[in-house]
Amino acid sequence: MKCLSDHNADAPLSRFLIRLAKRTTLSLIIVVLVLLPLGVNGFVDKRSSITSATVSCSLSASSLDSDSSAVSPLQTIVVTGATGKVGSRLIQKLLTNDDGSTRVVALVRNGEKARSMFATDETKSMEDDTSSGNYSSDNTTNKSTNLRRLEIIEADFENTDGLRSTFHDIITSSSSVGLFLSCGNVPNQETIELNVARAASEAAKAVDTESTSDIHALFCVKLSTAQPVMEQGIGAGIVHTKIEKALRTIWKKEQICILRPAFFVQMLDPDVGGKLMGVDLRDESSVTHPWADCAMAMVDCDDVASCAQTILRESLGSQKDVTKRHGGQIYELTGSKPVSLSSDLAQLVTKLRGESPFTIHSCSIEEHCAAIGMPASSHERMSPFFNTLSAYNTATDTIEQITNQPPRSFEESILANTIAFLPSTFQRLVGKKSSSFREAAKVTSLNMQEEWKMVGEDEVLIRVQVAGVNGGADTFSVTKADDNVPEFALGSEGIGIVVKRGAKVDTFTVGQQVLFLGGGYTEYVRVAARRCLPTAESLAKSPPAELTALRISGLTAIVALTRTCPVQKGDVVLVSACCGGTGHFATQIAKNNGATVIGTVGSTAKLLPAQQLNACDRIVDLSREDLNGVLKEEFPQGVNVAYEGVGGKVLQAVCQNLAPGGRVLLVGSISQYPHNENLDPVGTLKGLKDGQDIMDVFRSGKTIEMDESGRMLIGNVWGDIFTNPEEMVDYRNRLFDSYAKGEIQVLLDDASFRGVDSVCDAVDHMLSRKSVGKVHVTISD
């Protein structure tokens, strides 16, 4: 025997003392779980099947935490098939939910693969290994402390002497032992599974003889294949029938429990079920499948693992529950209700992708085999299996009976591993330092698998529905960029659907709609969870573009006019670009607070949209009227608060007509942005030093005292609210509540922009000063 750690290396005297110290009769509970081989040989996931190559006949052990070797836990659970779909999930559950009293052993034929899969380095999460359908890619936290207690033993499953020795060592150092048997769909499946089962039984009897103890509890839970496949005696049903029969010669009938699961949902993943069973919509919007229109009560591997864990917990050591009687039972495991691929799966993929509706059409097995390049005769061998499963629409409540928890819904199962149905590549707009947005921007294609792996533990991956356009912010993101940054993601805001969440994110769920800040000009974006805001249920049916407009443009206005410079009843408030992206919010908020509102528009074409807001007492058409003259003649008392984003002559007129103590809230200066061929000069403003530019005031967030009467230019309209997150949430809630009640309406620009490659046109449109309302880009539906 070659040991890579000191686990199970006790001297004979130590083993003898351990046996004497046991207060209860040594018991062996053998739980045999054979992974579902869906159909005849070759029907299972090609990536997770066990190869025929074996290592040395002698036992080799590898522990990920040698410090635990000095402890003899109350019970040991041995898991074979530990890198498979069910076995990997069982190990995850055993280690995550354990109090430290259980020793978990992975008995494998490929130690390197197991050590890689269960690596405890912080950069390696159990969610990373989705290539073979192992684990679930939901938000179950990887507890590395527990994983370090996992003991990996590499063995030759065809060497019965070596297996007996392995189990002898395990049993003598434990008070009770459970066995999870899952040797995969290989040509010699029957032989190696029964080798392991007999080796465990014979080793237990040998220990019983050595310790004069009575092995009174031998319990086997075997995971067979689907109930109708067993009844029909087709494909894998033939092999499992033989294994079940042989097990009854090893243990008594009342000591055996049979689990018969329906088709695994995970097999729909094309990387797991392959071309034969998987549904590959990653680069196609329409595919065919023999089961498209069939109602099938599919089951999640995670639920099967939960059943295995529950039975083990209820049957072993100090957690044994004598009220639970699993012996002699045949459990039929299914989902809660039948589902179809053409309806249920297609709708979920459409939700994840947001493109044109995805379709899954029915085809014959013969057509399916031909389409995936299988021999013409293949369909004759596979037809009985496919036809049997396609007719299996029985739904049971067995999983809930065993675990006291309902099974995962089909939607929950699909959303737990969305990578299987996302596109292989996606587009993102990136930029670098430049004199203009269009010159800086470039559409690039990214690999989805790589992006998926880069999602941090506190991040979410979002499928973008709508990106908000902010001409000033977009422009300055490139003109003021760091020369040393080669490329960076462009965009300030958006709304979309969460398709993945990091291990530490518990505030959002996959499939949930969220508003986010940063990098919106992309089809998929990684964002820190703290920069996301869930869409309220009451707003679930609201247009995504309207919600996007509220997030920055609306929030800016409500904070500026109700906190930074609170508008009072009777105040005179001027809003330049009153039907612009943020201006149309400002006019409504000021009016709702009882102010007299003056709005400005740059052209006659914008008069009607401004009037329809019903928020302006006076609209000044700058293409036909002189603002300075209008203010002096019609509002001689002066302007109390100005919400100004145009700059140039407009800002000059406003400042010349401020009331004592009046404030100018600078929200931009579009006439001064670099895209203008001829800049509109501001002229001399009181309070500005020689050579000081109004854009410097805006970008730096400075406050300039214009004179002794208290008139001020305020470059930071947010004030200090960012230092008080709770207050920010309050203002945000007030804004969305006003929208939900109809007190504030959202004005969207009529111009239609769709796709990442249309972003530059959208930014140019906004900067042209022809837009009315919030400019936005629809990225996906």
Side-chain angles (χ1 to χ4, degrees), residues 750-774:
D750 289 337
S752 177
F753 301 100
R754 186 175 185 89
V756 174
D757 54 2
S758 73
V759 169
C760 289
D761 292 336
V763 173
D764 287 346
H765 175 65
M766 181 180 178
L767 294 176
S768 72
R769 300 168 70 175
K770 296 178 181 179
S771 62
V772 176
K774 180 71 173 180

PDB file of all heavy atoms in Angstrom, residues 750-774:
ATOM      1  N   ASP A 750     -37.757  59.409 -29.815  1.00  0.00           N
ATOM      2  CA  ASP A 750     -38.384  58.526 -30.810  1.00  0.00           C
ATOM      3  C   ASP A 750     -37.386  57.785 -31.685  1.00  0.00           C
ATOM      4  O   ASP A 750     -37.728  56.779 -32.317  1.00  0.00           O
ATOM      5  CB  ASP A 750     -39.314  59.337 -31.717  1.00  0.00           C
ATOM      6  CG  ASP A 750     -40.567  59.805 -30.978  1.00  0.00           C
ATOM      7  OD1 ASP A 750     -40.922  59.164 -29.970  1.00  0.00           O
ATOM      8  OD2 ASP A 750     -41.164  60.814 -31.401  1.00  0.00           O
ATOM      9  N   ALA A 751     -36.169  58.279 -31.765  1.00  0.00           N
ATOM     10  CA  ALA A 751     -35.175  57.637 -32.632  1.00  0.00           C
ATOM     11  C   ALA A 751     -34.898  56.216 -32.141  1.00  0.00           C
ATOM     12  O   ALA A 751     -34.747  55.972 -30.944  1.00  0.00           O
ATOM     13  CB  ALA A 751     -33.892  58.443 -32.662  1.00  0.00           C
ATOM     14  N   SER A 752     -34.845  55.291 -33.070  1.00  0.00           N
ATOM     15  CA  SER A 752     -34.642  53.886 -32.728  1.00  0.00           C
ATOM     16  C   SER A 752     -33.197  53.470 -32.993  1.00  0.00           C
ATOM     17  O   SER A 752     -32.695  53.613 -34.118  1.00  0.00           O
ATOM     18  CB  SER A 752     -35.585  53.001 -33.556  1.00  0.00           C
ATOM     19  OG  SER A 752     -35.361  51.634 -33.283  1.00  0.00           O
ATOM     20  N   PHE A 753     -32.565  52.976 -31.956  1.00  0.00           N
ATOM     21  CA  PHE A 753     -31.196  52.458 -32.081  1.00  0.00           C
ATOM     22  C   PHE A 753     -31.181  51.053 -31.490  1.00  0.00           C
ATOM     23  O   PHE A 753     -31.607  50.859 -30.349  1.00  0.00           O
ATOM     24  CB  PHE A 753     -30.211  53.361 -31.338  1.00  0.00           C
ATOM     25  CG  PHE A 753     -30.205  54.778 -31.838  1.00  0.00           C
ATOM     26  CD1 PHE A 753     -30.910  55.765 -31.152  1.00  0.00           C
ATOM     27  CD2 PHE A 753     -29.543  55.118 -32.999  1.00  0.00           C
ATOM     28  CE1 PHE A 753     -30.926  57.075 -31.609  1.00  0.00           C
ATOM     29  CE2 PHE A 753     -29.549  56.430 -33.468  1.00  0.00           C
ATOM     30  CZ  PHE A 753     -30.249  57.410 -32.776  1.00  0.00           C
ATOM     31  N   ARG A 754     -30.675  50.102 -32.258  1.00  0.00           N
ATOM     32  CA  ARG A 754     -30.693  48.708 -31.811  1.00  0.00           C
ATOM     33  C   ARG A 754     -29.339  48.062 -32.063  1.00  0.00           C
ATOM     34  O   ARG A 754     -28.798  48.134 -33.162  1.00  0.00           O
ATOM     35  CB  ARG A 754     -31.779  47.907 -32.509  1.00  0.00           C
ATOM     36  CG  ARG A 754     -31.919  46.490 -31.943  1.00  0.00           C
ATOM     37  CD  ARG A 754     -33.075  45.725 -32.556  1.00  0.00           C
ATOM     38  NE  ARG A 754     -33.219  44.428 -31.893  1.00  0.00           N
ATOM     39  CZ  ARG A 754     -33.957  44.214 -30.815  1.00  0.00           C
ATOM     40  NH1 ARG A 754     -34.643  45.210 -30.277  1.00  0.00           N
ATOM     41  NH2 ARG A 754     -34.037  43.006 -30.284  1.00  0.00           N
ATOM     42  N   GLY A 755     -28.810  47.415 -31.030  1.00  0.00           N
ATOM     43  CA  GLY A 755     -27.555  46.689 -31.155  1.00  0.00           C
ATOM     44  C   GLY A 755     -26.347  47.529 -30.786  1.00  0.00           C
ATOM     45  O   GLY A 755     -26.370  48.764 -30.848  1.00  0.00           O
ATOM     46  N   VAL A 756     -25.284  46.845 -30.407  1.00  0.00           N
ATOM     47  CA  VAL A 756     -24.058  47.518 -29.980  1.00  0.00           C
ATOM     48  C   VAL A 756     -23.478  48.383 -31.093  1.00  0.00           C
ATOM     49  O   VAL A 756     -22.937  49.466 -30.833  1.00  0.00           O
ATOM     50  CB  VAL A 756     -23.021  46.469 -29.512  1.00  0.00           C
ATOM     51  CG1 VAL A 756     -21.682  47.124 -29.208  1.00  0.00           C
ATOM     52  CG2 VAL A 756     -23.534  45.729 -28.280  1.00  0.00           C
ATOM     53  N   ASP A 757     -23.614  47.940 -32.325  1.00  0.00           N
ATOM     54  CA  ASP A 757     -23.015  48.688 -33.431  1.00  0.00           C
ATOM     55  C   ASP A 757     -23.769  49.977 -33.764  1.00  0.00           C
ATOM     56  O   ASP A 757     -23.354  50.741 -34.635  1.00  0.00           O
ATOM     57  CB  ASP A 757     -22.895  47.809 -34.677  1.00  0.00           C
ATOM     58  CG  ASP A 757     -24.221  47.174 -35.086  1.00  0.00           C
ATOM     59  OD1 ASP A 757     -25.236  47.445 -34.415  1.00  0.00           O
ATOM     60  OD2 ASP A 757     -24.230  46.403 -36.065  1.00  0.00           O
ATOM     61  N   SER A 758     -24.892  50.243 -33.067  1.00  0.00           N
ATOM     62  CA  SER A 758     -25.634  51.486 -33.314  1.00  0.00           C
ATOM     63  C   SER A 758     -25.358  52.537 -32.242  1.00  0.00           C
ATOM     64  O   SER A 758     -25.919  53.636 -32.305  1.00  0.00           O
ATOM     65  CB  SER A 758     -27.141  51.195 -33.364  1.00  0.00           C
ATOM     66  OG  SER A 758     -27.645  50.926 -32.061  1.00  0.00           O
ATOM     67  N   VAL A 759     -24.518  52.233 -31.268  1.00  0.00           N
ATOM     68  CA  VAL A 759     -24.288  53.126 -30.138  1.00  0.00           C
ATOM     69  C   VAL A 759     -23.708  54.472 -30.585  1.00  0.00           C
ATOM     70  O   VAL A 759     -24.136  55.535 -30.122  1.00  0.00           O
ATOM     71  CB  VAL A 759     -23.371  52.468 -29.091  1.00  0.00           C
ATOM     72  CG1 VAL A 759     -22.901  53.488 -28.052  1.00  0.00           C
ATOM     73  CG2 VAL A 759     -24.083  51.313 -28.406  1.00  0.00           C
ATOM     74  N   CYS A 760     -22.734  54.452 -31.457  1.00  0.00           N
ATOM     75  CA  CYS A 760     -22.127  55.714 -31.904  1.00  0.00           C
ATOM     76  C   CYS A 760     -23.156  56.625 -32.556  1.00  0.00           C
ATOM     77  O   CYS A 760     -23.132  57.855 -32.367  1.00  0.00           O
ATOM     78  CB  CYS A 760     -20.977  55.434 -32.869  1.00  0.00           C
ATOM     79  SG  CYS A 760     -19.517  54.729 -32.076  1.00  0.00           S
ATOM     80  N   ASP A 761     -24.077  56.054 -33.317  1.00  0.00           N
ATOM     81  CA  ASP A 761     -25.138  56.858 -33.928  1.00  0.00           C
ATOM     82  C   ASP A 761     -26.022  57.468 -32.849  1.00  0.00           C
ATOM     83  O   ASP A 761     -26.463  58.618 -32.972  1.00  0.00           O
ATOM     84  CB  ASP A 761     -25.987  55.993 -34.860  1.00  0.00           C
ATOM     85  CG  ASP A 761     -25.217  55.533 -36.098  1.00  0.00           C
ATOM     86  OD1 ASP A 761     -24.237  56.208 -36.466  1.00  0.00           O
ATOM     87  OD2 ASP A 761     -25.596  54.500 -36.674  1.00  0.00           O
ATOM     88  N   ALA A 762     -26.299  56.701 -31.794  1.00  0.00           N
ATOM     89  CA  ALA A 762     -27.146  57.188 -30.700  1.00  0.00           C
ATOM     90  C   ALA A 762     -26.472  58.342 -29.957  1.00  0.00           C
ATOM     91  O   ALA A 762     -27.122  59.348 -29.618  1.00  0.00           O
ATOM     92  CB  ALA A 762     -27.469  56.046 -29.732  1.00  0.00           C
ATOM     93  N   VAL A 763     -25.172  58.205 -29.697  1.00  0.00           N
ATOM     94  CA  VAL A 763     -24.441  59.271 -29.012  1.00  0.00           C
ATOM     95  C   VAL A 763     -24.405  60.525 -29.884  1.00  0.00           C
ATOM     96  O   VAL A 763     -24.625  61.652 -29.390  1.00  0.00           O
ATOM     97  CB  VAL A 763     -23.008  58.802 -28.651  1.00  0.00           C
ATOM     98  CG1 VAL A 763     -22.183  59.961 -28.105  1.00  0.00           C
ATOM     99  CG2 VAL A 763     -23.066  57.671 -27.638  1.00  0.00           C
ATOM    100  N   ASP A 764     -24.134  60.351 -31.174  1.00  0.00           N
ATOM    101  CA  ASP A 764     -24.123  61.501 -32.093  1.00  0.00           C
ATOM    102  C   ASP A 764     -25.490  62.181 -32.119  1.00  0.00           C
ATOM    103  O   ASP A 764     -25.588  63.419 -32.167  1.00  0.00           O
ATOM    104  CB  ASP A 764     -23.750  61.054 -33.507  1.00  0.00           C
ATOM    105  CG  ASP A 764     -22.270  60.716 -33.643  1.00  0.00           C
ATOM    106  OD1 ASP A 764     -21.499  61.078 -32.739  1.00  0.00           O
ATOM    107  OD2 ASP A 764     -21.905  60.093 -34.655  1.00  0.00           O
ATOM    108  N   HIS A 765     -26.545  61.375 -32.099  1.00  0.00           N
ATOM    109  CA  HIS A 765     -27.903  61.918 -32.130  1.00  0.00           C
ATOM    110  C   HIS A 765     -28.159  62.790 -30.906  1.00  0.00           C
ATOM    111  O   HIS A 765     -28.719  63.887 -31.017  1.00  0.00           O
ATOM    112  CB  HIS A 765     -28.916  60.783 -32.187  1.00  0.00           C
ATOM    113  CG  HIS A 765     -30.345  61.232 -32.105  1.00  0.00           C
ATOM    114  ND1 HIS A 765     -30.947  62.003 -33.063  1.00  0.00           N
ATOM    115  CD2 HIS A 765     -31.294  61.013 -31.135  1.00  0.00           C
ATOM    116  CE1 HIS A 765     -32.205  62.241 -32.716  1.00  0.00           C
ATOM    117  NE2 HIS A 765     -32.441  61.664 -31.549  1.00  0.00           N
ATOM    118  N   MET A 766     -27.735  62.350 -29.756  1.00  0.00           N
ATOM    119  CA  MET A 766     -27.942  63.136 -28.546  1.00  0.00           C
ATOM    120  C   MET A 766     -27.120  64.421 -28.580  1.00  0.00           C
ATOM    121  O   MET A 766     -27.614  65.509 -28.242  1.00  0.00           O
ATOM    122  CB  MET A 766     -27.574  62.329 -27.310  1.00  0.00           C
ATOM    123  CG  MET A 766     -27.789  63.109 -26.028  1.00  0.00           C
ATOM    124  SD  MET A 766     -27.365  62.187 -24.558  1.00  0.00           S
ATOM    125  CE  MET A 766     -27.679  63.449 -23.302  1.00  0.00           C
ATOM    126  N   LEU A 767     -25.883  64.303 -29.012  1.00  0.00           N
ATOM    127  CA  LEU A 767     -25.011  65.476 -29.036  1.00  0.00           C
ATOM    128  C   LEU A 767     -25.434  66.491 -30.099  1.00  0.00           C
ATOM    129  O   LEU A 767     -25.049  67.655 -30.040  1.00  0.00           O
ATOM    130  CB  LEU A 767     -23.564  65.051 -29.280  1.00  0.00           C
ATOM    131  CG  LEU A 767     -22.915  64.221 -28.157  1.00  0.00           C
ATOM    132  CD1 LEU A 767     -21.510  63.789 -28.559  1.00  0.00           C
ATOM    133  CD2 LEU A 767     -22.877  65.004 -26.849  1.00  0.00           C
ATOM    134  N   SER A 768     -26.248  66.034 -31.064  1.00  0.00           N
ATOM    135  CA  SER A 768     -26.712  66.940 -32.125  1.00  0.00           C
ATOM    136  C   SER A 768     -27.749  67.925 -31.615  1.00  0.00           C
ATOM    137  O   SER A 768     -28.103  68.874 -32.319  1.00  0.00           O
ATOM    138  CB  SER A 768     -27.321  66.134 -33.278  1.00  0.00           C
ATOM    139  OG  SER A 768     -28.580  65.585 -32.887  1.00  0.00           O
ATOM    140  N   ARG A 769     -28.253  67.695 -30.396  1.00  0.00           N
ATOM    141  CA  ARG A 769     -29.251  68.545 -29.744  1.00  0.00           C
ATOM    142  C   ARG A 769     -30.592  68.492 -30.465  1.00  0.00           C
ATOM    143  O   ARG A 769     -31.432  69.392 -30.332  1.00  0.00           O
ATOM    144  CB  ARG A 769     -28.738  69.993 -29.623  1.00  0.00           C
ATOM    145  CG  ARG A 769     -27.469  70.081 -28.801  1.00  0.00           C
ATOM    146  CD  ARG A 769     -26.772  71.416 -28.884  1.00  0.00           C
ATOM    147  NE  ARG A 769     -27.531  72.468 -28.199  1.00  0.00           N
ATOM    148  CZ  ARG A 769     -27.077  73.708 -28.042  1.00  0.00           C
ATOM    149  NH1 ARG A 769     -25.876  74.046 -28.518  1.00  0.00           N
ATOM    150  NH2 ARG A 769     -27.808  74.616 -27.427  1.00  0.00           N
ATOM    151  N   LYS A 770     -30.810  67.396 -31.222  1.00  0.00           N
ATOM    152  CA  LYS A 770     -32.099  67.186 -31.885  1.00  0.00           C
ATOM    153  C   LYS A 770     -32.976  66.195 -31.123  1.00  0.00           C
ATOM    154  O   LYS A 770     -34.149  66.011 -31.472  1.00  0.00           O
ATOM    155  CB  LYS A 770     -31.879  66.672 -33.313  1.00  0.00           C
ATOM    156  CG  LYS A 770     -31.162  67.655 -34.223  1.00  0.00           C
ATOM    157  CD  LYS A 770     -30.948  67.060 -35.606  1.00  0.00           C
ATOM    158  CE  LYS A 770     -30.198  68.055 -36.512  1.00  0.00           C
ATOM    159  NZ  LYS A 770     -29.960  67.483 -37.860  1.00  0.00           N
ATOM    160  N   SER A 771     -32.426  65.584 -30.106  1.00  0.00           N
ATOM    161  CA  SER A 771     -33.171  64.554 -29.372  1.00  0.00           C
ATOM    162  C   SER A 771     -34.242  65.181 -28.490  1.00  0.00           C
ATOM    163  O   SER A 771     -34.125  66.325 -28.054  1.00  0.00           O
ATOM    164  CB  SER A 771     -32.217  63.726 -28.520  1.00  0.00           C
ATOM    165  OG  SER A 771     -31.578  64.528 -27.543  1.00  0.00           O
ATOM    166  N   VAL A 772     -35.287  64.404 -28.249  1.00  0.00           N
ATOM    167  CA  VAL A 772     -36.373  64.796 -27.354  1.00  0.00           C
ATOM    168  C   VAL A 772     -36.586  63.664 -26.356  1.00  0.00           C
ATOM    169  O   VAL A 772     -37.001  62.570 -26.736  1.00  0.00           O
ATOM    170  CB  VAL A 772     -37.678  65.066 -28.126  1.00  0.00           C
ATOM    171  CG1 VAL A 772     -38.821  65.368 -27.153  1.00  0.00           C
ATOM    172  CG2 VAL A 772     -37.499  66.208 -29.106  1.00  0.00           C
ATOM    173  N   GLY A 773     -36.281  63.907 -25.086  1.00  0.00           N
ATOM    174  CA  GLY A 773     -36.401  62.853 -24.086  1.00  0.00           C
ATOM    175  C   GLY A 773     -35.116  62.058 -23.974  1.00  0.00           C
ATOM    176  O   GLY A 773     -34.065  62.433 -24.518  1.00  0.00           O
ATOM    177  N   LYS A 774     -35.190  60.949 -23.266  1.00  0.00           N
ATOM    178  CA  LYS A 774     -34.019  60.110 -23.019  1.00  0.00           C
ATOM    179  C   LYS A 774     -33.656  59.294 -24.254  1.00  0.00           C
ATOM    180  O   LYS A 774     -34.472  58.546 -24.794  1.00  0.00           O
ATOM    181  CB  LYS A 774     -34.307  59.164 -21.844  1.00  0.00           C
ATOM    182  CG  LYS A 774     -33.165  58.233 -21.492  1.00  0.00           C
ATOM    183  CD  LYS A 774     -32.010  58.966 -20.862  1.00  0.00           C
ATOM    184  CE  LYS A 774     -30.946  57.988 -20.354  1.00  0.00           C
ATOM    185  NZ  LYS A 774     -29.802  58.671 -19.720  1.00  0.00           N
TER     186      LYS A 774
END
